[in-house]
C-alpha cells in the first residue's frame, strides 16, 4: 500500500528507470557532441582516415549506450565497461596509442558532463554526473586491459617471428624476406654507434630459466643490453643454447662481455664478423662449431672468438676450420723456398728450443729467432706462445694431410 515499507525502494527504482530512459533518448546527441569535441580538441584525431574515425565513433556510441545500461543496474551490468571496445577491430590498438585512447575517454566524459545539463532535468544532473565518474574509472581500466592484451599478443607473435629469423640464419636460409622481417622487429641494418653495419652470431648455453623476476624474458634483456651498447640484436633460445645475432658492430666481443650475464654457465662463442645479415650463416656455422669444440680448451676466455678455437674445431670434425688452417696458416709458409715452414717445423719438433732448432738446421740461433718472427708476422700465430704453437702444430699437420701445392689453397 502507499507509504508502506517498500514504497521508498520502489520509488528509487522508478526514478532510476526514468532517468535511464531520458539518458537513452539523449545518446545520439551525446555521441554527436563527443565526436565534435574530439575533432576540435584533439589535433591527431583529424589526421585519421575516415574508416578509423568511424570506428572511434562506434566505440564512443557503444560506450555511451553501455553507460545507460550500466546506469539502469550497475550490479547486473558490472562487466559492461569492459565490453565497450568490442566493436573495434584488433587493428584499433595499432591505429591509436593508449595515451590517445585516454584522451578520447577524457574528452567524451567531459563532453557528456558539459552536455547533460541541456538534455536532462536539473534533478538528474548531479546523480548522472556521479555515476559517470564511477563509470569513467571502469572504462579507463578496460582500456588499459585492451592494450595490455594487444601488447601481449604482439609480444608472443614477435617472439615466434624472432625465433624463426634466428633459425633461418643458423640454417643458412636467410634471404630478402629475412631482412624485411628483421626490420619489423627493430633491426635497423645500419651502422650503430661503433660506425659499422657488420654482423656476428653469438652462441652459448641457455640459462636455467628464460624469464626474469620482473616478468621480462632473457631475450628482452639481451636486446635491451645490446641497444644500450649501440648494437642491434636478434635473440632466440634453441633447446639448451642461446643464440644472439648482433648487428651494427665490428667489435662483437666487447658487446658480448656486457651480455654474458644473461647466458647460462659454460663457454660463449662469438662467430667471425660478416658484412650483413644475409652472410650471417658463415658466422653462425663457426660459432656453433666453436661451442661444440670449446670443452677441449678448458682455459678459453669467456667469451671466446670462434677463430681462437680453430684447432679444437678441426679435431672435432669441422671441415671449414681444417681448410682455414691449411689455407691461412700452412699455405703462406709454403711460399718461396719453404725455409719458414722448415724452421717452424723443426722448432716444434725440438720441443720449442731455439738452440736445438739451430743445431738441427746448422744455423745461428738469431737466424731461428728472425725466422720465427717472420712466421708470426705472416700467420699471426707466434711460435713462442704455447697456445699459438699448438695451433701451428695442428695447421702443419692438416696442411700436409690435405697436401696443397706450394702457394695454393685447399678448396
Amino acid at each position: 500500500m502507499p507509504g508502506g515499507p517498500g514504497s521508498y525502494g520502489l520509488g528509487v527504482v522508478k526514478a532510476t528507470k526514468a532517468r535511464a530512459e531520458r539518458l537513452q533518448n539523449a545518446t545520439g546527441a551525446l555521441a554527436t557532441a563527443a565526436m565534435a569535441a574530439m575533432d576540435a580538441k584533439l589535433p591527431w584525431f583529424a589526421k585519421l582516415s575516415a574508416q578509423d574515425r568511424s570506428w572511434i565513433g562506434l566505440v564512443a556510441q557503444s560506450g555511451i549506450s553501455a553507460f545507460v545500461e550500466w546506469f539502469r543496474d550497475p550490479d547486473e551490468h558490472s562487466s559492461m565497461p569492459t565490453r565497450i571496445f568490442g566493436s573495434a577491430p584488433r587493428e584499433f590498438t595499432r591505429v591509436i596509442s593508449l595515451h590517445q585512447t585516454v584522451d578520447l575517454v577524457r574528452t567524451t566524459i567531459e563532453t557528456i558532463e558539459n552536455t547533460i545539463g541541456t538534455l536532462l532535468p536539473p534533478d538528474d544532473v548531479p546523480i548522472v554526473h556521479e555515476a559517470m565518474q564511477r563509470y569513467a574509472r571502469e572504462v579507463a581500466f578496460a582500456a588499459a586491459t585492451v592494450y595490455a592484451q594487444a601488447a601481449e599478443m604482439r609480444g608472443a607473435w614477435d617472439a615466434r617471428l624472432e625465433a624463426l629469423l634466428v633459425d633461418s640464419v643458423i640454417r643458412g636460409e636467410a634471404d630478402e624476406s629475412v631482412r624485411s622481417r628483421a626490420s619489423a622487429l627493430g633491426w635497423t641494418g645500419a651502422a650503430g654507434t661503433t660506425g659499422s653495419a657488420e654482423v656476428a652470431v653469438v652462441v652459448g648455453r641457455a640459462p636455467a630459466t628464460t624469464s626474469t623476476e620482473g616478468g621480462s624474458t632473457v631475450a628482452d634483456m639481451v636486446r635491451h643490453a645490446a641497444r644500450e651498447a649501440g648494437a642491434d640484436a636478434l635473440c632466440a633460445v634453441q633447446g639448451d643454447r642461446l643464440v644472439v645475432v648482433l648487428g651494427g658492430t665490428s667489435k662483437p666481443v666487447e658487446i658480448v662481455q656486457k651480455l654474458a650475464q644473461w647466458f647460462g654457465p659454460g663457454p660463449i662463442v662469438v662467430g667471425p664478423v660478416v658484412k650483413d645479415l644475409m652472410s650471417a650463416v658463415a658466422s653462425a656455422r663457426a660459432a656453433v662449431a666453436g661451442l661444440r669444440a670449446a670443452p677441449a680448451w678448458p682455459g678459453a676466455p669467456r667469451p671466446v672468438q670462434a677463430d681462437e678455437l680453430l684447432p679444437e674445431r678441426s679435431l672435432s670434425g669441422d671441415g671449414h676450420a681444417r681448410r682455414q688452417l691449411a689455407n691461412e696458416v700452412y699455405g703462406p709458409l709454403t711460399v718461396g723456398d719453404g725455409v719458414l715452414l722448415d724452421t717452424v717445423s723443426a722448432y716444434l719438433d725440438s720441443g720449442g728450443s731455439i738452440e736445438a732448432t739451430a743445431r738441427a738446421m746448422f744455423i745461428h740461433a738469431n737466424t731461428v729467432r728472425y725466422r720465427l718472427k717472420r712466421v708470426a708476422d705472416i700467420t699471426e700465430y707466434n711460435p713462442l706462445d704455447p697456445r699459438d704453437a699448438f695451433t701451428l702444430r695442428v695447421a702443419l699437420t692438416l696442411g700436409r694431410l690435405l697436401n696443397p701445392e706450394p702457394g695454393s689453397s685447399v678448396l
Side-chain angles (χ1 to χ4, degrees):
M1 67 180 177
S7 60
Y8 176 77
L10 184 61
V12 171
V13 172
K14 287 183 178 180
T16 300
K17 287 183 177 180
R19 292 191 185 96
E21 290 300 325
R22 289 191 287 272
L23 270 174
Q24 183 68 53
N25 295 333
T27 54
L30 291 173
T32 301
M35 290 296 291
M38 293 176 196
D39 203 19
K41 296 181 179 181
L42 305 176
W44 55 264
F45 182 76
K47 299 178 182 178
L48 297 177
S49 66
Q51 182 180 11
D52 294 334
R53 287 161 60 93
S54 175
W55 279 119
I56 292 174
L58 288 176
V59 172
Q61 187 169 359
S62 173
I64 295 172
S65 298
F67 170 65
V68 175
E69 294 301 316
W70 178 85
F71 183 79
R72 292 181 194 274
D73 190 340
D75 294 331
E76 182 180 352
H77 301 288
S78 59
S79 64
M80 190 64 72
T82 64
R83 305 206 310 259
I84 68 171
F85 295 98
S87 59
R90 183 177 298 177
E91 291 78 11
F92 182 82
T93 56
R94 296 183 181 271
V95 174
I96 62 175
S97 66
L98 177 59
H99 178 74
Q100 291 171 329
T101 301
V102 172
D103 285 342
L104 290 177
V105 173
R106 182 185 296 113
T107 301
T108 302
I109 299 302
E110 290 176 352
T111 301
I112 293 175
E113 291 176 343
N114 295 332
T115 307
I116 56 176
T118 61
L119 299 175
L120 300 177
D123 292 343
D124 290 354
V125 173
I127 297 174
V128 173
H129 183 273
E130 181 181 354
M132 178 59 69
Q133 294 297 319
R134 293 173 53 198
Y135 183 75
R137 184 175 65 249
E138 298 299 327
V139 170
F141 284 123
T145 300
V146 168
Y147 278 84
Q149 291 173 343
E152 185 176 357
M153 292 179 64
R154 286 198 299 273
W157 168 249
D158 287 351
R160 289 193 293 270
L161 178 59
E162 187 171 17
L164 288 173
L165 289 177
V166 173
D167 186 60
S168 296
V169 169
I170 292 291
R171 291 186 293 152
E173 298 176 357
D175 53 20
E176 288 300 326
S177 65
V178 167
R179 193 195 303 272
S180 62
R181 290 170 182 169
S183 177
L185 292 173
W187 181 277
T188 63
T193 57
T194 57
S196 171
E198 295 166 318
V199 175
V201 177
V202 184
V203 183
R205 297 302 175 192
T209 176
T210 57
S211 296
T212 64
E213 294 182 0
S216 299
T217 65
V218 167
D220 294 332
M221 303 308 295
V222 169
R223 283 192 297 272
H224 177 74
R227 283 196 301 270
E228 290 292 316
D232 287 329
L234 297 173
C235 183
V237 175
Q238 297 182 335
D240 63 346
R241 70 186 183 191
L242 176 63
V243 182
V244 180
V245 182
L246 288 177
T249 175
S250 60
K251 299 180 180 179
V253 174
E254 296 181 4
I255 304 295
V256 176
Q257 288 172 345
K258 301 176 182 179
L259 311 180
Q261 61 178 313
W262 304 113
F263 285 82
I268 302 173
V269 182
V270 183
V273 173
V274 294
K275 63 180 181 179
D276 57 24
L277 192 61
M278 311 297 291
S279 308
V281 60
S283 181
R285 184 171 54 228
V288 171
L291 184 65
R292 183 174 60 248
W297 185 14
R302 187 176 190 265
V304 60
Q305 296 186 67
D307 283 355
E308 295 182 83
L309 290 163
L310 284 175
E312 290 79 11
R313 287 167 53 194
S314 299
L315 295 173
S316 68
D318 183 0
H320 296 280
R322 291 175 177 175
R323 287 188 289 274
Q324 186 173 342
L325 283 175
N327 288 335
E328 299 179 9
V329 180
Y330 177 79
L333 296 177
T334 65
V335 177
D337 56 7
V339 67
L340 295 181
L341 178 62
D342 294 339
T343 303
V344 72
S345 180
Y347 174 77
L348 295 173
D349 290 342
S350 68
S353 170
I354 291 179
E355 289 74 13
T357 303
R359 289 194 299 270
M361 299 188 70
F362 302 102
I363 57 177
H364 196 277
N366 287 340
T367 303
V368 175
R369 292 187 180 92
Y370 171 76
R371 292 178 181 178
L372 294 180
K373 185 177 183 304
R374 289 279 311 280
V375 169
D377 292 339
I378 292 173
T379 66
E380 298 184 356
Y381 290 99
N382 183 3
L384 304 182
D385 179 83
R387 173 69 190 177
D388 286 357
F390 170 63
T391 302
L392 287 166
R393 169 66 77 183
V394 175
L396 266 58
T397 302
L398 290 170
R400 289 163 180 156
L401 286 173
L402 296 173
N403 194 27
E405 293 296 328
S408 65
S409 62
V410 180
L411 298 179

